[in-house]
């Protein structure tokens, strides 16, 4: 008599048991070198964050003067438990390196083999030799911009976008009172005086915080974006109805002719699309202000040209242009605290999981931040951009 079974002979054989990956707390040794990139004033960890890490049993070594531009002294870091040194090479020899800006080729050369780098990547400003240098040193690299939160958002990008959006309105308010160039207007709504007219291009996080700040000062705000979904979400988030429109030349020109301030907060796939032509700018009021937050990726005003924190503005067609990339660096202490709030829990979680190797197995959001794994490029968008070979990290780490 035959016995029928739903299982094959192979499936009925005893199988090995698959155990959960064991977590053993590890001690981290973190190095924070001084930022050398032009106009970079931020630092990854505040003294409070260092104190928190040291209390968890970790070591932090910081280069002397690294926090100066963010208004943090060496003494504050020393009191928090950090080892302060003037030896740059000693800092770069730490197993884990924290930087705001990506390291230069000379700095990568100072790093140890198999080191872990946590920094921004700023893809639009990178060159192929940067990635080749990381490969040579077999570095494992984690980018702030790519780390995902539990809700699927990018916390570092969102946080710095909030600063840029709020700052764009405050900067415009400063430029409007400038006696030499501005019209001597107060940004806001004073009894008997027409309120400030503001046009905002985009409906993302930068735009949302620009709108919030402008509305709180009493301005009339008009928002333009080609995504109805984003415009609807903005209205719902603000919990009030404001003027919104898709980007049509006629409607946009009409708004620009009447506005006192125009803020560019659009994002593009590779480059920000130019939606305001020079002809449109020519029709704007004399002394009006343009703040192009999108200048990091090319700018959305045809008349925009990159400026610096030292010389932030220029006048073109009688309109004041503010086109400084990296606006959060202007508010270095706020931006540093913001970055630190995201990095510190991440580092503590990495240690609790037993190091970066186990952490990226347990945390998908953290794994998403990895773009180099032991010298192997694992990010497809970087590979496509620079025509490099890559491997899917999910096939290496699982």
């Amino acid at each position: 008599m035959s016995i029928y079974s739903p299982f094959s002979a192979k499936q009925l054989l005893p199988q090995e048991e698959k155990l959960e990956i064991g977590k053993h707390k590890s001690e981290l040794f973190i190095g924070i070198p001084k930022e050398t990139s032009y106009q970079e004033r931020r630092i990854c960890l505040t003294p409070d964050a260092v104190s928190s890490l040291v209390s968890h049993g970790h070591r932090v070594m910081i280069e002397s003067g690294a926090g100066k531009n963010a208004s943090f002294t060496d003494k504050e870091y020393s009191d928090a438990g950090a080892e302060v040194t003037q030896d740059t090479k000693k800092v770069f020899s730490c197993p884990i390196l924290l930087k705001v800006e990506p390291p230069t080729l000379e700095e990568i050369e100072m790093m140890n083999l198999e080191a872990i780098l946590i920094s921004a990547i700023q893809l639009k400003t990178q060159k192929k030799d940067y990635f080749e240098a990381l490969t040579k040193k077999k570095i494992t690299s984690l980018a702030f911009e790519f780390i995902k939160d539990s809700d699927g958002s990018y916390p570092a990008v969102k946080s710095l976008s909030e600063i840029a959006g709020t700052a764009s309105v405050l900067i415009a308010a400063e430029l409007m009172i400038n006696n030499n160039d501005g019209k001597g207007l107060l940004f806001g709504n004073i009894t008997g005086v027409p309120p400030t007219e503001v046009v905002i291009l985009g409906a993302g996080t930068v735009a949302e915080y620009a709108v919030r700040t402008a509305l709180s000062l009493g301005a009339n705000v008009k928002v333009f974006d080609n995504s109805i979904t984003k415009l609807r979400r903005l209205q719902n988030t603000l919990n009030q109805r404001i003027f919104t429109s898709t980007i049509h030349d006629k409607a946009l020109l009409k708004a620009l002719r009447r506005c006192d301030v125009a803020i560019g907060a659009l994002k593009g796939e590779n480059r920000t699309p130019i939606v305001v032509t020079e002809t449109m700018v020519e029709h704007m009021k004399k002394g009006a202000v343009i703040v192009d937050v999108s200048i990091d990726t090319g700018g959305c005003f045809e008349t925009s040209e990159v400026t610096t924190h030292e010389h932030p503005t220029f006048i073109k067609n009688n309109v004041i242009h503010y086109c400084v990339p990296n606006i959060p660096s202007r508010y270095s202490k706020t931006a540093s605290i913001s970055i630190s709030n995201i990095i510190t829990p991440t580092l503590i979680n990495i240690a609790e999981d037993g190091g970066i190797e186990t952490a990226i197995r347990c945390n998908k959001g953290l794994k998403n931040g990895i773009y180099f794994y032991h010298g192997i490029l694992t990010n497809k968008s970087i590979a496509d951009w620079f025509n490099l070979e890559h491997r899917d990290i999910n096939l290496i780490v699982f």
Side-chain angles (χ1 to χ4, degrees), residues 140-372:
T140 296
S141 296
L142 192 78
F144 297 155
E145 303 101 306
F146 298 157
I147 297 174
K148 278 187 178 179
D149 223 333
S150 53
D151 63 351
S153 65
Y154 297 89
V157 175
K158 201 164 186 176
S159 195
L160 294 172
S161 295
E162 289 175 11
I163 295 171
T166 304
S168 64
V169 173
L170 301 179
I171 289 163
E174 282 177 41
L175 296 174
M176 285 171 70
I177 63 168
N178 190 321
N179 293 328
N180 298 322
D181 305 323
K183 296 190 289 183
L185 288 173
L186 176 66
F187 193 111
N189 190 343
I190 303 301
T191 307
V193 180
T196 307
E197 295 285 339
V198 180
V199 168
I200 296 174
L201 304 171
T205 306
V206 174
E208 181 194 330
Y209 280 79
V211 172
R212 284 182 187 277
T213 310
L215 289 174
S216 66
L217 290 169
N220 279 348
V221 181
K222 293 179 179 178
V223 180
F224 290 83
D225 194 284
N226 273 334
S227 169
I228 291 292
T229 305
K230 282 186 178 180
L231 292 171
R232 184 180 292 113
R233 186 174 60 206
L234 179 64
Q235 296 254 33
N236 294 336
T237 305
L238 294 170
N239 204 23
Q240 71 180 91
R241 312 312 280 175
I242 56 168
F243 177 100
T244 56
S245 171
T246 49
I247 300 171
H248 300 297
D249 286 356
K250 192 175 179 182
L252 182 57
L253 179 59
K254 187 179 178 183
L256 288 170
R257 290 175 80 160
R258 294 180 178 180
C259 80
D260 302 295
V261 175
I263 296 171
L266 284 168
K267 279 203 302 185
E269 197 65 40
N270 294 320
R271 192 210 185 281
T272 303
I274 293 172
V275 295
V276 178
T277 63
E278 186 162 358
T279 308
M280 289 180 175
V281 175
E282 286 171 3
H283 282 89
M284 290 176 71
K285 292 178 186 175
K286 182 181 179 181
V289 174
I290 285 174
V291 180
D292 200 345
V293 185
S294 303
I295 196 68
D296 297 73
T297 51
C300 52
F301 293 83
E302 193 178 6
T303 49
S304 290
E305 295 170 18
V306 177
T307 58
T308 65
H309 285 297
E310 287 72 30
H311 304 285
T313 62
F314 64 91
I315 297 173
K316 201 167 189 178
N317 302 316
N318 295 316
V319 175
I320 303 164
H321 291 65
Y322 181 98
C323 305
V324 180
N326 193 7
I327 287 176
S329 186
R330 176 186 167 105
Y331 304 91
S332 55
K333 190 163 189 173
T334 300
S336 296
I337 294 168
S338 186
I339 293 169
S340 184
N341 287 342
I342 294 159
I343 297 302
T344 308
T346 302
L347 290 169
I348 291 170
N349 288 339
I350 287 171
E352 292 291 336
D353 288 339
I356 193 82
E357 300 287 342
T358 314
I360 58 178
R361 285 175 167 85
C362 303
N363 188 327
K364 286 183 180 178
L366 192 65
K367 187 195 276 187
N368 197 70
I370 299 282
Y371 65 95
F372 253 85

Side-chain angles (χ1 to χ4, degrees), residues 49-184:
V50 169
S51 179
S52 176
L53 287 164
V54 170
S55 69
H56 278 79
H58 309 302
R59 285 178 68 190
V60 178
M61 183 179 284
I62 186 165
E63 187 176 354
S64 179
K68 186 181 176 184
N69 289 328
S71 302
F72 296 119
T73 64
D74 287 349
K75 187 178 184 304
E76 286 178 282
Y77 282 107
S78 183
D79 291 346
E83 301 165 38
V84 181
T85 178
Q86 292 189 341
D87 190 340
T88 307
K89 286 186 178 179
K90 197 175 176 184
V91 178
F92 274 99
S93 67
C94 292
I96 300 174
L97 278 167
L98 278 187
K99 280 186 104 282
V100 178
E101 295 274 330
T104 62
L105 296 180
E106 293 75 21
E107 289 172 336
I108 293 173
E109 196 58 42
M110 286 189 273
M111 291 165 65
N112 288 342
L113 280 171
E114 305 277 351
I116 296 165
L117 169 68
I118 302 175
S119 73
I121 184 174
Q122 296 177 345
L123 199 54
K124 303 291 188 295
T125 62
Q126 284 305 347
K127 293 180 181 175
K128 200 172 183 176
D129 51 9
Y130 169 78
F131 302 104
E132 288 167 350
L134 292 178
T135 302
K136 189 179 172 185
K137 285 277 184 174
K138 297 187 176 177
I139 303 292
T140 296
S141 296
L142 192 78
F144 297 155
E145 303 101 306
F146 298 157
I147 297 174
K148 278 187 178 179
D149 223 333
S150 53
D151 63 351
S153 65
Y154 297 89
V157 175
K158 201 164 186 176
S159 195
L160 294 172
S161 295
E162 289 175 11
I163 295 171
T166 304
S168 64
V169 173
L170 301 179
I171 289 163
E174 282 177 41
L175 296 174
M176 285 171 70
I177 63 168
N178 190 321
N179 293 328
N180 298 322
D181 305 323
K183 296 190 289 183

